[in-house]
């Protein structure tokens, strides 16, 4: 957790009111190298999505494989965008900092609030994703109460681990990424030799138009790529962030896309379409086809549980980092800015864990499959709002054309990346559907009273300070 600007040594830090901060946060040693930052990106991307989403999008047909390819290209564009923005602001809370610097504190707050909402909703969805694979290991007998209990435990275990500090988070990410990446890559490659093309079913099984099915499946599949911004959000923890954030974002996204595309093709070709649509553990079913027994599915279920818990470990860190950066500017309640001995904003960890637990308990009455789908679509909207604002911020800096922010030689390339990233995010929001956008907007607008209260207190404090200064003079 470093100060909100790398220029702090030369310039005073400014609060959102435009006044100089009275004290700077103490410098903290950056603990994530390129390997740890790349593992953080891959660890946050490859989690519940790869293990659950093939079954979630199966009703759309194999058009969802095309959606995965489109998403992979879009995710790489976002990775390049965040890499460029991180060169300008290599600090913690990137997706909050970029809109704030470009458009002011309200835009920064909306981005931070939306991203924070996405993180704890995403955490709840990941915890729900664990249930199907735990059921393979320990039958839950379709008990909603047991399923909710498993999801809540899956959420709190990595939350507790976060209090050990960011060094431990980085280490856990490397181990968990290796643990899940190698077996998944083996399944994705070996499984291709067992693919039966008859299992793929219809190209478009949704009954909608191909563009409509493509957009709808992509909106669900975006959940599997959330995390591409992980290195940018935690840039304050990354060594040499001007170079490593961009590299880690691109390398992590490309590695994840490779696993996703190969793995999903294998699952679609191994599990008959009618069975895949109703599967709670599609990768376990796919491995059972390869091995001809149940032991393979049990092994992949163990890997899936470890993968999702490792992913939760990284997402909980991000859920605490974004409000930490906003709280430093006085736009989030002050407790979010408090950092524990391990370097983790403890209040942010508690907040996301409690909210995620409440959301799990509230939605689980509809069943785990319905809960996962609803939560995923909400994250699509709340996740794309910060992407849109970050792309808009980059377009703003490029339009200004100031030499300290734009390199003329790369102007055309940067314009294309920013414009396509904006269009890609907008397309995904449209594909999420009216219900998801409606619920997402409600979550977004719920933050406005928080902003009004925090800004009102800032103005009052500044006025009182000025009055005291005049009285003293």
């Amino acid at each position: 957790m470093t100060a909100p600007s790398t220029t702090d040594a030369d310039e005073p830090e400014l609060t959102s009111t435009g006044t100089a901060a009275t004290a700077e946060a103490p410098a903290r040693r950056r603990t994530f190298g390129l390997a740890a930052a790349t593992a953080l990106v891959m660890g946050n991307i490859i989690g519940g999505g790869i293990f659950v989403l093939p079954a979630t999008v199966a009703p759309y047909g194999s058009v969802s494989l095309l959606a995965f390819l489109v998403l992979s290209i879009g995710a790489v564009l976002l990775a390049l965008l965040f890499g460029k923005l991180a060169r300008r602001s290599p600090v913690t809370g990137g997706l909050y900092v970029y809109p704030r610097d470009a458009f002011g504190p309200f835009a920064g707050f909306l981005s931070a609030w939306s991203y924070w909402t996405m993180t704890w909703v995403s955490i709840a969805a990941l915890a729900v994703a664990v249930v199907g694979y735990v059921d393979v290991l320990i039958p839950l007998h379709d008990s909603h109460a047991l399923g909710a209990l498993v999801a809540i435990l899956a959420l709190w275990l990595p939350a507790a681990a976060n209090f050990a500090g960011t060094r431990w988070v980085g280490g856990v990410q490397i181990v968990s990424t290796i643990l899940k990446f190698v077996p998944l890559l083996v399944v994705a490659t070996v499984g291709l030799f067992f693919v039966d093309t008859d299992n793929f079913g219809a190209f478009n099984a949704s009954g909608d138009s191909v563009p409509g099915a493509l957009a709808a499946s992509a909106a669900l599949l975006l959940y599997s790529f959330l995390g591409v911004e992980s290195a940018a959000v935690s840039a304050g923890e990354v060594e040499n962030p001007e170079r490593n954030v961009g590299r880690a974002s691109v390398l992590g996204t490309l590695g994840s896309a490779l696993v996703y595309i190969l793995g999903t093709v294998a699952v679609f070709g191994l599990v008959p379409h009618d069975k895949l649509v109703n599967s709670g553990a599609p990768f376990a079913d796919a491995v059972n086809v390869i091995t001809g027994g149940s032991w393979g599915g049990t092994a992949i279920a163990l890997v899936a549980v470890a993968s999702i818990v490792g992913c939760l470990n990284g997402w909980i860190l991000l859920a605490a980092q974004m409000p930490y950066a906003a709280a430093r500017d006085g736009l989030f309640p002050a407790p979010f800015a408090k950092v524990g001995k391990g370097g983790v904003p403890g209040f942010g960890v508690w907040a996301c864990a409690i909210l995620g637990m409440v959301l799990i308990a509230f939605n689980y009455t509809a069943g785990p499959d319905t809960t996962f789908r609803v939560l995923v679509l909400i994250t699509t909207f709340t996740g794309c709002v910060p992407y849109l604002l970050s792309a808009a911020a980059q377009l703003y800096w490029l339009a200004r054309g100031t030499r300290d922010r734009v390199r003329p030689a790369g102007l055309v390339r940067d314009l294309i990346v920013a414009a396509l990233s904006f269009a890609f995010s907008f397309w995904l929001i449209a594909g999420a559907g009216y219900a998801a956008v409606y619920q997402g907007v409600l979550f977004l607008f719920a933050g406005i009273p928080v902003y009004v209260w925090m800004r009102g207190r800032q103005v009052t404090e500044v006025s009182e300070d000025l009055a005291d200064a005049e009285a003293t003079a």
Side-chain angles (χ1 to χ4, degrees):
M1 272 37 102
T2 57
S5 174
T6 55
T7 61
D8 287 346
D10 302 316
E11 301 177 24
E13 179 191 341
L14 298 182
T15 67
S16 55
T17 60
T19 59
T22 57
E24 296 180 8
R28 296 181 180 275
R29 193 164 69 89
R30 298 174 187 262
T31 55
F32 290 176
L34 178 60
T38 303
L40 181 68
V41 174
M42 290 190 66
N44 285 349
I45 291 177
I46 301 177
I50 187 61
F51 290 106
V52 180
L53 283 174
T56 306
V57 298
Y60 294 99
S62 52
V63 67
S64 54
L65 297 176
L66 178 59
F68 249 133
L69 181 60
V70 173
L71 278 171
S72 299
I73 296 171
V76 171
L77 286 171
L78 289 173
L80 292 171
L81 172 71
F82 297 141
K84 287 294 182 181
L85 287 168
R87 285 179 176 270
R88 180 184 176 278
S89 300
V91 296
T92 294
L95 272 68
Y96 152 71
V97 173
Y98 311 145
R100 180 203 66 187
D101 288 353
F103 309 120
F106 184 62
F109 173 82
L110 284 181
S111 185
W113 181 268
S114 186
Y115 189 86
W116 180 63
T117 301
M118 181 272 291
T119 55
W120 59 263
V121 174
S122 178
I123 286 166
L126 277 173
V128 170
V130 171
V131 177
Y133 284 94
V134 170
D135 189 46
V136 174
L137 303 172
I138 306 172
L140 302 176
H141 306 293
D142 295 324
S143 170
H144 288 184
L146 286 176
L149 179 61
V150 168
I152 290 171
L153 287 174
L155 182 141
W156 277 102
L157 285 175
N162 260 262
F163 289 107
T166 57
R167 180 181 296 276
W168 286 96
V169 173
V172 170
Q173 287 306 114
I174 292 176
V175 173
S176 64
T177 298
I178 294 173
L179 181 64
K180 63 193 171 186
F181 182 78
V182 174
L184 284 175
L185 190 57
V186 170
V187 171
T189 53
V190 174
L192 295 177
F193 293 98
F194 294 85
V195 164
D196 183 348
T197 55
D198 292 337
N199 290 334
F200 283 95
F203 177 71
N204 180 11
S206 67
D208 196 0
S209 65
V210 171
L214 183 68
S217 58
L220 281 169
L221 292 171
L222 173 67
Y223 180 75
S224 62
F225 278 99
L226 292 176
V228 63
E229 71 287 343
S230 301
V233 173
S234 296
E237 305 294 340
V238 178
E239 297 175 358
N240 191 12
E242 292 85 352
R243 295 186 62 186
N244 286 339
V245 167
R247 289 183 175 185
S249 298
V250 173
L251 289 174
T253 302
L254 288 175
S256 301
L258 176 65
V259 175
Y260 277 160
I261 293 173
L262 293 178
T264 307
V265 168
V267 171
F268 269 61
L270 288 168
V271 184
H273 184 261
D274 58 344
K275 182 179 179 181
L276 182 60
V277 169
N278 299 309
S279 175
F283 261 77
D285 292 337
V287 173
N288 283 338
V289 173
I290 297 173
T291 60
S294 60
W295 68 268
T298 301
I300 202 67
L302 284 169
V303 173
V305 171
S307 170
I308 297 170
V309 171
C311 187
L312 280 166
N313 179 69
W315 270 111
I316 289 171
L317 173 65
L318 294 189
Q321 296 279 26
M322 182 66 76
Y324 161 80
R328 284 285 314 280
D329 283 352
L331 296 180
F332 257 59
F336 282 98
K338 295 180 180 179
V339 178
K341 293 181 179 179
V344 173
F347 186 83
V349 173
W350 279 106
C352 73
I354 292 172
L355 287 169
M357 180 179 67
V358 171
L359 196 58
I360 290 169
F362 181 76
N363 284 288
Y364 226 93
T365 54
D369 295 336
T370 303
T371 299
F372 182 77
R373 183 184 180 88
V374 169
L375 294 178
V376 163
L377 287 175
I378 293 174
T379 62
T380 296
F381 176 85
T382 53
C384 281
V385 169
Y387 294 168
L388 276 172
L389 291 174
S390 294
Q394 176 71 338
L395 289 171
Y396 170 78
W397 295 124
L398 292 170
R400 285 188 56 177
T402 52
R403 288 187 176 274
D404 62 327
R405 306 196 189 280
V406 179
R407 295 183 179 181
L411 177 60
V412 174
R413 177 197 60 205
D414 292 346
L415 273 172
I416 292 174
V417 169
L420 289 178
S421 296
F422 187 93
F424 174 67
S425 302
F426 194 87
W427 176 66
L428 287 171
I429 290 177
Y434 293 109
V437 173
Y438 169 74
Q439 294 176 68
V441 168
L442 290 181
F443 275 110
L444 188 63
F445 285 179
I448 293 179
V450 177
Y451 175 81
V452 171
W453 173 257
M454 297 304 299
R455 286 289 287 174
R457 291 193 60 177
Q458 281 185 330
V459 172
T460 300
E461 290 172 359
V462 170
S463 299
E464 289 177 351
D465 290 343
L466 290 174
D468 290 344
E470 291 175 358
T472 303

